[in-house]
């Protein structure tokens, strides 16, 4: 079956994490418990911030939410479907149709132009090259880069690169955008602009937004703040 | 991801690393080129040699010493001059259809000119049996053969070399210390690549030749059948006649078709061996492709992780890298094929062997190069497809 692309009028819960653990196996007998029983939900259109000190398990959690990884135990469910029960193809479809990623290190392909980078996720769904290009140009215009479409990442500033990455995340119209320290490599002013952009898109398109951040400022603008420490949730604040 | 899209992405990646792609392709290119070239030469040699045997005229039976097993060592001939007559008498429907000969190499001299000719000692019906004709003068007669008269008939090249611009009839040539009177000159046959060049012959009576070589041997006997139908009757008659005097293991009677078949088979095997040797370089090219693809996968680990995060299935990634490998080898195959054909033509203009490009060598070259891409691309492509996206994205 195809991964559920969540539409309006459906139940409010977008994704559920239930008693999720993730233990990394290092060598034969060293085990690193990065997550030790984490449970929470994300509603559609919600804005959640995840905070916590370095090594507390934030990235590990985000990878599980993004269906890039499977939990050691517990469940991550999208619209009631357990990620652990999905096949490789179903996971790929889920990521392509419902999730957009924004990474701290941008993760753009250096040999592709901005527009080709934005086209990347569209390649894995049906459509003609013309349609894909049009959608990508539209997304780049939305992030204010209409005049940089043929630039390669190396010819763009950090803030511009992250905006290309945001265009790539939103071009598929996902129901959830996961951002792992999206401002971590940017100065505070540029970071501010990038966050403002993500929040505008979240508000305009009703996309749920989960942001990992170290910055108190940014965390405070979320509707909910979850704090992790040593792989467990120690605090949850609803604004 | 559609096939077209996968192909486009693969080409894009190859273009991004032009020099490396070209060098990797070179291995396969050289492999395919050598296969095409060597097969062309092998096939050319095969048709040239079988053509030369056919050129002796059809409906010939060869009576050869030994039991006719290929692969047996050279056999001493037990034939005698009388055997030629014995065979000829046994043939149904008149005689004059069997001839025997003995061959030796000897320097021929005349008026200060010297020439390395092939000396054929022949029985009287030889020219008729092998379908050769006299240009000038006359052939050797039964009386010449019976008395061992010192007379000679010259091949066209022999005549021109020894007597440039002159009429050789009536002149003398020497073989060693013995002088022979020239009675005839043969019509020119023209170039054949293999076997003795018949235009370089000197024909003398077989009895005179045996005296010259100090031996009583007869190398072989030829029988011309009157028709394709009569050939089996002639074979039976010949075998019966020789069995009166010789043991079964001392002679064998084979038809021209049988010889062409066996020689053709041997040369075909030779062609395959050449192709196989060239195929080894193709294999080495394939290993190079595999190697470079592994490097490429490791270099692009982050790209693979990213593509997976954006919705690529394992299958999409595997296909992308497999396409890259096949594009590399396919391109090498196509260019190698073209170069191989050109080189074969070049070789053919300088070497005595014609090049023969066969459709199967073309199909084989292209098919094998694509196959090499698939086989040697599978390992790197599978490795790429199975990368864990989280680890891949963190890769430095
Ligand atoms: N692939 C891995 N293998 C082994 N251990 C890992 C792996 N990835 C993460 N860890 C460990 O799991 C724990 C949580 O890591 P994680 O990356 O989730 O932390 P984080 O909260 O994102 O930290 P940061 O703020 O520095 O990015 C750490 O102790 C880390 O060393
Ligand atoms: Mg992290």
């Amino acid at each position: 079956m195809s991964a559920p692309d969540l539409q309006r009028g459906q139940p409010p819960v977008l994704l559920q994490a239930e008693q999720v653990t993730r233990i990394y196996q290092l060598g034969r007998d060293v085990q690193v418990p990065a997550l030790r029983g984490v449970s929470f939900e994300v509603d559609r259109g919600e804005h959640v911030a995840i905070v916590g000190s370095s090594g507390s398990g934030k990235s590990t959690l985000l990878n599980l939410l993004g269906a890039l990884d499977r939990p050691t135990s517990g469940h991550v469910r999208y619209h009631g479907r357990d990620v652990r029960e999905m096949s490789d193809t179903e996971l790929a479809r889920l990521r392509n149709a419902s999730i957009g990623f924004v990474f701290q290190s941008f993760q753009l392909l250096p040999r592709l132009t901005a527009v080709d980078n934005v086209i990347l996720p569209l390649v894995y769904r049906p459509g003609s090259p013309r349609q894909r290009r049009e959608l990508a140009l539209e997304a780049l215009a939305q992030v204010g880069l209409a005049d940089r479409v043929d630039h390669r990442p190396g010819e763009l500033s950090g803030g511009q690169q992250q905006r290309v990455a945001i265009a790539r995340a939103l071009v598929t119209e996902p129901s959830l955008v996961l951002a792992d320290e999206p401002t971590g490599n940017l100065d505070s002013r540029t970071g501010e602009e990038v966050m403002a952009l993500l929040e505008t898109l979240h508000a305009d398109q009703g996309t749920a937004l989960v942001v990992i951040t170290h910055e108190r400022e940014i965390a405070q603008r979320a509707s909910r703040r979850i704090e992790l420490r040593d792989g467990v949730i120690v605090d949850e604040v609803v604004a | 991801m559609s096939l077209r899209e996968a192909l486009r992405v693969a080409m894009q990646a190859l273009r991004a690393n032009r020099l490396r792609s070209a060098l990797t392709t070179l291995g396969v290119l050289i492999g395919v080129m050598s296969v095409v070239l060597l097969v062309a030469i092998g096939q050319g040699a095969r048709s040239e040699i079988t053509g030369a045997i056919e050129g002796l005229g059809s409906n010939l039976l060869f009576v050869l010493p030994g039991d006719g097993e290929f692969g047996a060592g050279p056999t001493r001939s037990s034939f005698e001059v009388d055997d030629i007559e014995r065979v000829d008498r046994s043939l149904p429907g008149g005689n004059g259809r069997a001839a025997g000969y003995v061959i030796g190499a000897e320097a021929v001299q005349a008026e200060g000119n010297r020439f390395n000719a092939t000396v054929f000692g022949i029985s009287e019906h030889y020219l008729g049996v092998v379908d050769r004709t006299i240009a000038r003068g006359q052939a050797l007669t039964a009386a010449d053969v019976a008395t061992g008269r010192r007379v000679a008939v010259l091949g066209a090249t022999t005549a021109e070399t020894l007597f440039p611009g002159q009429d050789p009839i009536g002149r003398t040539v020497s073989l060693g210390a013995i002088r022979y009177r020239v009675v005839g000159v043969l019509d020119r046959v023209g170039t054949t690549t293999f076997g003795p060049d018949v235009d370089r012959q000197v024909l003398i009576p077989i009895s005179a030749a045996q005296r010259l070589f100090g031996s009583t041997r007869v190398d072989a006997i030829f029988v011309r059948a009157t028709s394709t139908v009569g050939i089996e009757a002639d074979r039976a008659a010949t075998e019966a006649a020789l069995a009166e005097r010789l043991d079964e293991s001392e002679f064998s009677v084979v038809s021209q078709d049988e010889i062409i078949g066996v020689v053709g088979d041997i040369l075909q095997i030779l062609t395959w061996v050449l192709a196989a040797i060239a195929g080894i370089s193709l294999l080495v090219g394939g290993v190079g492709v595999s190697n470079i693809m592994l490097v490429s996968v490791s270099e692009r680990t982050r790209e693979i992780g990213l593509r997976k995060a954006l919705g690529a299935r394992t299958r999409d990634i595997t296909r992308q890298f497999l396409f890259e490998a096949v594009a590399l080898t396919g391109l090498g195959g196509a260019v190698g094929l073209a170069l191989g054909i050109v080189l074969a033509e070049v070789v053919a203009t300088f070497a005595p062997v014609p090049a023969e490009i066969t459709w199967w060598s073309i199909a084989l070259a292209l098919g094998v190069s694509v196959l090499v891409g698939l086989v040697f691309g599978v390992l790197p492509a599978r490795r790429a497809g199975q990368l864990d996206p989280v680890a891949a994205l963190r890769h430095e």
Side-chain angles (χ1 to χ4, degrees), chain A residues 140-141 144-151 160:
Chain A
L140 280 170
L145 287 177
D147 55 346
R148 293 286 188 275
V149 294
D150 289 325
H151 288 232
Q160 287 169 333

Side-chain angles (χ1 to χ4, degrees), chain A residues 17 38-42 46-53 56 58 61 65 210-213 219-220 222-229 232-239:
Chain A
V38 172
S39 303
F40 71 102
E41 294 181 350
V42 177
E46 210 186 352
H47 180 184
V48 180
I50 298 176
V51 297
S53 57
S56 58
K58 306 181 297 292
L61 180 59
L65 300 183
V210 176
V211 186
I212 292 178
T213 184
Q220 274 169 352
S223 55
R224 198 145 56 98
R225 205 183 78 222
I226 292 170
E227 186 175 347
L228 281 180
R229 188 179 303 152
V232 290
I233 296 178
V234 292
D235 194 16
E236 187 164 353
V237 181
V238 181

Side-chain angles (χ1 to χ4, degrees), chain A residues 88 95-96 111 124 132, chain B residues 5 303 307-308 310 314:
Chain A
D88 173 74
R95 295 195 285 255
N96 186 248
R111 61 187 155 82
Y124 299 105
R132 288 180 189 141
Chain B
E5 196 64 38
E303 171 184 341
R307 285 182 182 274
K308 284 196 149 183
L310 298 181
T314 297

